[in-house]
Amino acid sequence: MKIKKTSKALLFLAFGMISMSSVAQKITVPAPSPLQTTTQKFGLGEVTIEYSRPMAKGRTIFGDVVPYGKVWRTGANATTKIMFTDNVKIEGKEVKAGTYGLYSIPNKDYWEVMLYSDLNLNGNVADYKAENEVARFKVKPVKTASKMESFTINMENVMPAEATLVISWENTMVPLKLTTDIDARVMKSIDESVRSEKPEYFKAATYYFENGKDLKQALTWVNKATDENPKAFYMFLLKAKIEYALKDKVAGKASAEKTIALAKEAKNEDYVALANKLMAENK
């Protein structure tokens, strides 16, 4: 009888322990080097950067935590990756569309930044192989007044055909110039569009104006765009800009005033302000 009672007690205790474990909660804490993925439209494609972001935590980073003169994974955890959907140039060197590991060799006076074909090397930099290197760039670091606590890679000064890829941590910033040759392809697409059944006159005129092309042709196209869209205040603002650029202040003022009238009708005060500013600059 005692054996039966003991067995029942043990079973009850075991069931209780199982029940307690089933409701136990896992401890969730922030990652020490959180993953970051950032995508930037650039040229006719995109640049995506995937990397982990360690923190300085009061440490001296370059020359200590990250030694000078040695290959660094340029981040933490898995391989830092940079993906280009279109061909680009980095520091004047051709880089084909694709995905690359981003490694570097920091030094006090200069950095070497490398694109690497093996995406699984991670932090095993002792196994870094020169034959897997796609490109190498020598760049000068910049000392910053403000401190960057978390390691950061981003795109800055983004324009249609050039931008700056910036690696930052602690008081060090490393800029790499990115460029892309899009003009020939854009010009070809414009030519095809204006010959099509549904020409995109406004886009064509905008590209011509913003890139120093034939302004008279741009004016012809923006006139066709406003004829098709007589209430489009933003198109009339572009028309005013082109006319002012062609030194026709009378026409420019008339188009700016048209912009204001249409923008007020649409309750868009931003374009009212832009048109007023344009007229003030071209008195």
Side-chain angles (χ1 to χ4, degrees), residues 62 68 91 106-111 113 138-148 156-157 164-176:
F62 298 111
Y68 287 138
E91 292 293 314
N107 290 288
K108 188 175 182 179
D109 298 320
Y110 69 93
W111 277 41
V113 180
K138 187 175 179 179
V139 290
K140 188 175 178 62
V142 177
K143 193 76 172 175
T144 61
S146 58
K147 182 178 179 180
M148 181 71 72
E156 296 183 0
N157 306 318
T164 305
L165 177 70
V166 180
I167 300 169
S168 304
W169 201 12
E170 198 184 21
N171 294 100
T172 298
M173 180 181 74
V174 181
L176 293 100

Side-chain angles (χ1 to χ4, degrees), residues 12-26:
F12 181 78
L13 179 62
F15 179 76
M17 291 177 68
I18 293 170
S19 298
M20 287 175 67
S21 65
S22 68
V23 298
Q25 296 295 313
K26 291 183 178 180

